[in-house]
Amino acid sequence: MLQNFRFALRVLAKSPGFSLIAILTLALGIGANTAIFTVANALLLRPLPYADPDRLMVLSGATFDAAGGWGRLSLPFFEVIRDHNRSYSNVAACIYEWFSLTGHGDPEQISAARATWRFFDTLGVHPIVGRTFSEEEDRAGGKAVILVSSKLAARLFGDAAKALGQNLTLDGRDYSVIGVLPPSFVFGLFGGERDIWAPRVSEMNAVTPARVALGGAYFNLIGRLRPGVSIQQAAAELEVLYRQYQSARPSNFDATRNLHMRVATLQSELVTNVRPTLLVLCAAVGLVLLIACANVANLLLSRAVGRRQEFSIRTALGASRGTLIGQLLTESLLLAAVSGALGVAIGYAGTRILPLLHYDYEGLPMGQISMDFRILAFAILISLASGMLFGLAPALQISRTDVNTGLREESRGSFGNRGRNRARSALVVAQVALSMVLLIASGLLIRSFLRLRNASPGFDPSNLLTMQINLPPARYADAARSIAFYRDVIQNVENLPGVDGVAVSTAIPTNATHSTPVLFEGQPAVVLGQRPIVDIQQINADYARVMRIPLLGGRMFDEHDDVRAPKVALVNQTAVRRFWPNENPIGKRVWIGTMKDSFEVAGVIGNTKNNGPAAATEPEVFMPLAQMVSPYVSLTVRATGDPHGLVSAVRAGIASADPDQPVTGVQTMEEFMETQSSQTRFTMALLGVFAGVALILAVVGIYGVIAYSVAQRTQELGIRIALGAGRRDILRLVISGGLGLTLGGIAIGLAASIAATRLMASLLFETSATDPIAFLASSALFVGVALTASYIPARRATRIDPTRALRAE
């Protein structure tokens, strides 16, 4: 082995050009695989930073058709699970929250969460200083205590130790800091780090305790399985507990919905949305590596021409075929080892470039992805596998040496030509086929992304500036004060130069945040839990004009639709088509949630993409903000020019109404919509890069085969020219060889793509997995570049001097 290694070093050093091309080609494939595996490892494989993470479960429920996906559960049902289950050592509930922080410079909105007192024990997370909540602090009327993140403690107090015992004024109430959480702690179900954790989940700002007690499904439930208990056993027990809960509290909202229970690991819940994307990207980089291996194998077969006498002499001196194969595989593995080292460096660079694509997976920002021992082990494994893959076939082919033929000088063109040419052609066809799969997949995503970008959201997002306002309940305990604040803010901002209108709503159009059971007049009067869940939104009178959403019938809200006026509502087109087809909806009534009074439909407005740009529009009901006040709203300003120039003035207008009121999420509507499409853009960009690399490698392979063929057929082409073959005849002859390989690879690639692209159907928007335009465009592109790759050596063939070609033989 040592002798083979030393000889391999000399051989590779003797051909630096060949070695450099082979190493770079393979390093690209290994680097791409390493980068994507680093992401997959961080999101799919790396254990969560909790104690025994494989025993951490998420408890969720859904209706039996599961049309709305798996969702949160209620606090009353959580209490039943906590008190009567036998599957979990700990069970906890949590919900995200927002607090307004004052007393530390300008007022600001702080991301927060509420959790039951055993939440951190369930996760196995301990503060770096201080303690977690006690049972007494989690009861109604308990002390106002909080845990803070290390980042917030450092920003406000200098370090964690100094934070302990300090008071923070949140929503006008003083809270005592009893602990500081570790810097690495992030609870992924909330999409990122929360700076403050408070007890008493029933006291959240957004929902009244009465609605919580009625069984509103607002809470994430997690549990730690006892040793020896399976997920299936835990799920079966959860079903039994739910049936008992239904019997004990039949009037509760969630007891009437007839839910189906599910228990899943926390790890699987965190990666549900990102898993399809990563699997597609892993498959893509795997194809890139296979193409790279085929390319290097072709290079090895080409170099074999120059080493034909070496193998013949070694065979004549007694070297066995196994010895030759061993030597050739040593050279291949050495190439793979060097390529692997360079590939790890490329992969590391790739993980640093990924954040520039501005895509953050909600549970783990791309900037936090790092390499570990698994990545190095993976890189070593694929390097060795690649060395065997691209080295074995050429080694077997080259080692079939005919000593007599190989030693004859005149055998230049006959040394295994036919066999090697078939092998080289087969490798090129495979490269083209694999590249076609990537190219078509990339084309489908590009078409999907363009359709997503060009799809009308139902409103005009240009020149809109949006931000969130969360009113602290301590200062805005009654509806009249909240309405007065919104009125003052609207008046202050509308009077600013460059402002064309101000909208106040509980959500922005593409991001519905509130839904509730709604009974539409004429539908069966079923119990609350069996009514359809519909998006609802509270808006001010100018909302539709500012958003430029058309009125299709009836009237818009006006300033007279206040708390003293009859309750009215607007509905969108989808609601009319689903619940009142072929009927006039104006004057119909709707019953929203648990409210006893009904709302009369005053008008119908156009559909907006209320659940994301790629999702179908759902039924939606709008109520006047003055009749149903919410402490959480989005303020949207229509500017006459660039909305960025209004940020400071709008902030000042809000401060004039309440100097202690912070705002968050300041961005233009177009920026917000770009963020919503970031996963599609991320996948499209990476797959496009991989398809481009694959296309280049395949074209290089085609060029290499044609150029090699021209070199081997110099005598034949010289004779043809001497007998009168014209330039066009030679071009047609040579190009047809490259075109034949290309068309063969395209045919195989098209067949493979029909099956493969179906696996990525969930990533496509209004684009079929067998979209004919993507298939035809990819085929045409490949034919075009293949013709170019074949034309260069074909043109060289037309310049052969027949006299010199014949004399050389």
Side-chain angles (χ1 to χ4, degrees):
M1 287 296 297
L2 184 60
Q3 181 180 354
N4 284 347
F5 178 75
R6 287 199 300 265
F7 186 77
L9 279 176
R10 292 199 300 271
V11 168
L12 296 180
K14 187 178 179 181
S15 306
F18 162 82
S19 301
L20 182 61
I21 293 173
I23 288 170
L24 289 177
T25 299
L26 198 58
L28 281 174
I30 294 175
N33 277 267
T34 302
I36 297 302
F37 183 75
T38 302
V39 178
N41 174 62
L43 300 183
L44 303 181
L45 305 177
R46 183 180 295 168
L48 296 175
Y50 309 128
D52 298 324
D54 57 316
R55 289 168 52 199
L56 284 175
M57 302 293 138
V58 175
L59 287 60
S60 56
T63 52
F64 275 95
D65 60 7
W70 298 97
R72 301 180 182 94
L73 298 173
S74 70
L75 188 61
F77 183 39
F78 159 74
E79 292 169 349
V80 171
I81 300 170
R82 179 196 62 195
D83 298 336
H84 298 93
N85 89 88
R86 297 182 180 180
S87 298
Y88 306 97
S89 57
N90 279 328
V91 183
C94 57
I95 188 169
Y96 58 83
E97 178 72 288
W98 293 92
F99 287 123
S100 295
L101 172 66
T102 54
H104 288 267
D106 294 334
E108 62 177 305
Q109 205 76 40
I110 299 293
S111 61
R114 290 186 181 271
T116 53
W117 70 283
R118 303 199 72 177
F119 174 79
F120 293 101
D121 290 337
T122 303
L123 293 179
V125 172
H126 305 285
I128 54 175
V129 295
R131 61 176 177 83
T132 58
F133 310 127
S134 67
E135 187 174 5
E136 292 74 20
E137 291 164 343
D138 197 29
R139 293 173 180 164
K143 293 180 180 179
V145 296
I146 54 173
L147 295 167
V148 299
S149 68
S150 295
K151 182 173 66 177
L152 186 66
R155 180 162 66 88
L156 297 182
F157 307 111
D159 60 44
K162 293 179 181 178
L164 205 61
Q166 298 283 348
N167 286 338
L168 289 180
T169 303
L170 305 173
D171 292 348
R173 182 182 182 185
D174 287 338
Y175 287 77
S176 177
V177 178
I178 62 171
V180 179
L181 294 166
S184 61
F185 176 69
V186 176
F187 187 60
L189 288 180
F190 291 159
E193 184 177 8
R194 315 303 286 187
D195 283 322
I196 291 175
W197 289 80
R200 297 187 294 280
V201 294
S202 62
E203 296 180 6
M204 58 180 170
N205 291 334
V207 182
T208 63
R211 291 178 66 182
V212 173
L214 282 174
Y218 306 118
F219 302 94
N220 294 107
L221 269 57
I222 61 170
R224 180 173 289 277
L225 280 183
R226 296 182 185 275
V229 178
S230 68
I231 293 178
Q232 291 75 19
Q233 291 172 322
E237 183 188 46
L238 193 62
E239 289 282 358
V240 172
L241 292 175
Y242 178 65
R243 303 306 163 207
Q244 294 174 355
Y245 170 73
Q246 282 183 305
S247 300
R249 303 190 186 188
S251 61
N252 273 20
F253 165 63
D254 56 328
T256 60
R257 292 191 63 199
N258 199 23
L259 299 177
H260 178 59
M261 296 291 111
R262 185 181 71 156
V263 176
T265 64
L266 178 58
Q267 177 96 33
S268 66
E269 287 295 288
L270 291 176
V271 301
T272 296
N273 294 330
V274 77
R275 182 185 285 112
T277 297
L278 284 180
L279 292 179
V280 167
L281 292 177
C282 286
V285 292
L287 293 180
V288 171
L289 183 58
L290 288 175
I291 295 167
C293 288
N295 217 307
V296 175
N298 252 333
L299 288 173
L300 290 175
L301 283 171
S302 297
R303 194 177 62 156
V305 175
R307 301 180 66 185
R308 63 193 182 281
Q309 286 191 332
E310 172 197 335
F311 294 115
S312 299
I313 293 171
R314 296 185 67 179
T315 302
L317 294 176
S320 66
R321 190 182 182 199
T323 302
L324 297 179
I325 291 175
Q327 176 61 52
L328 291 168
L329 286 180
T330 301
E331 295 175 18
S332 301
L333 291 174
L334 180 59
L335 271 177
V338 177
S339 301
L342 181 58
V344 170
I346 293 174
Y348 177 80
T351 60
R352 304 279 73 79
I353 293 173
L354 287 178
L356 300 180
L357 296 176
H358 302 292
Y359 169 65
D360 280 353
Y361 164 60
E362 59 184 10
L364 180 62
M366 285 295 178
Q368 296 182 9
I369 290 175
S370 60
M371 290 187 173
D372 58 19
F373 73 93
R374 288 185 182 85
I375 306 304
L376 295 178
F378 173 79
I380 292 172
L381 180 63
I382 63 170
S383 297
L384 294 175
S386 300
M388 295 295 293
L389 184 63
F390 72 73
L392 187 58
L396 293 174
Q397 179 72 29
I398 296 169
S399 63
R400 295 195 187 103
T401 304
D402 182 344
V403 178
N404 293 326
T405 305
L407 291 175
R408 290 202 304 267
E409 185 65 26
E410 68 272 19
S411 64
R412 176 184 172 193
S414 62
F415 180 67
N417 264 352
R418 186 172 299 176
R420 278 199 305 277
N421 285 341
R422 284 198 299 265
R424 287 171 58 84
S425 298
L427 287 171
V428 169
V429 169
Q431 282 182 277
V432 173
L434 295 174
S435 300
M436 276 296 296
V437 174
L438 280 179
L439 202 60
I440 289 173
S442 177
L444 289 173
L445 279 178
I446 291 172
R447 284 182 57 76
S448 175
F449 183 72
L450 291 177
R451 286 184 173 177
L452 184 63
R453 290 288 297 269
N454 295 329
S456 172
F459 69 102
D460 182 6
S462 62
N463 297 333
L464 288 180
L465 180 70
T466 184
M467 60 197 71
Q468 279 68 54
I469 297 176
N470 301 328
L471 299 181
R475 295 207 310 276
Y476 295 90
D478 60 275
R481 187 167 183 180
S482 299
I483 292 172
F485 169 79
Y486 294 142
R487 184 178 60 247
D488 291 344
V489 168
I490 291 172
Q491 182 176 352
N492 292 343
V493 177
E494 279 183 335
N495 291 332
L496 295 173
V499 172
D500 186 40
V502 179
V504 180
S505 57
T506 50
I508 51 182
T510 59
N511 188 37
T513 56
H514 299 79
S515 59
T516 193
V518 175
L519 177 63
F520 293 80
E521 182 180 341
Q523 302 296 309
V526 295
V527 295
L528 187 67
Q530 296 178 13
R531 297 174 185 176
I533 305 297
V534 174
D535 292 331
I536 63 169
Q537 193 176 160
Q538 295 100 285
I539 59 176
N540 70 327
D542 212 22
Y543 172 82
R545 185 191 71 82
V546 172
M547 295 295 182
R548 296 179 181 170
I549 302 173
L551 176 68
L552 304 179
R555 69 172 180 89
M556 295 288 192
F557 299 145
D558 57 37
E559 65 275 6
H560 302 295
D561 294 315
D562 57 20
V563 68
R564 298 179 298 274
K567 288 182 168 57
V568 291
L570 300 175
V571 294
N572 66 355
Q573 286 175 283
T574 301
V576 173
R577 291 168 182 167
R578 185 170 302 179
F579 300 108
W580 295 309
N582 305 316
E583 295 183 54
N584 181 11
I586 308 302
K588 298 281 190 180
R589 310 198 73 83
V590 293
W591 287 262
I592 298 173
T594 58
M595 299 179 68
K596 295 182 180 179
D597 296 333
S598 62
F599 289 71
E600 180 181 328
V601 175
V604 179
I605 62 175
N607 283 337
T608 60
K609 291 285 189 177
N610 50 11
N611 282 285
T617 300
E618 295 295 329
E620 191 164 15
V621 178
F622 302 83
M623 295 83 69
L625 187 66
Q627 293 186 349
M628 192 174 175
V629 180
S630 170
Y632 291 167
V633 299
S634 294
L635 181 75
T636 305
V637 180
R638 170 72 65 181
T640 57
D642 183 6
H644 290 98
L646 291 174
V647 173
S648 298
V650 173
R651 285 185 181 273
I654 295 171
S656 295
D658 183 350
D660 290 331
Q661 178 58 50
V663 295
T664 58
V666 180
Q667 60 187 325
T668 67
M669 186 66 72
E670 291 174 327
E671 290 169 346
F672 175 77
M673 295 179 69
E674 281 292 318
T675 301
Q676 286 190 307
S677 62
S678 63
Q679 181 169 335
T680 301
R681 185 175 63 251
F682 172 80
T683 309
M684 180 195 69
L686 285 187
L687 203 57
V689 170
F690 299 150
V693 171
L695 181 62
I696 292 171
L697 291 177
V699 168
V700 169
I702 294 169
Y703 172 82
V705 166
I706 300 303
Y708 175 80
S709 174
V710 169
Q712 294 299 305
R713 299 171 66 185
T714 300
Q715 182 184 26
E716 173 199 338
L717 295 175
I719 293 173
R720 288 178 178 271
I721 294 173
L723 293 177
R727 185 173 183 272
R728 289 186 178 181
D729 299 321
I730 299 300
L731 285 174
R732 188 183 305 112
L733 176 67
V734 176
I735 290 176
S736 63
L739 189 59
L741 296 177
T742 302
L743 293 178
I746 287 176
I748 297 173
L750 288 174
S753 297
I754 292 174
T757 53
R758 295 182 187 277
L759 302 177
M760 56 182 291
S762 63
L763 303 179
L764 303 177
F765 172 73
E766 295 183 357
T767 303
S768 169
T770 56
D771 181 70
I773 294 179
F775 277 65
L776 290 173
S778 299
S779 302
L781 175 62
F782 225 119
V783 169
V785 295
L787 287 173
T788 303
S790 302
Y791 176 77
I792 297 173
R795 185 181 178 187
R796 188 181 305 127
T798 63
R799 298 175 179 176
I800 292 175
D801 183 345
T803 305
R804 297 181 61 184
L806 293 173
R807 187 182 301 119
E809 292 297 331

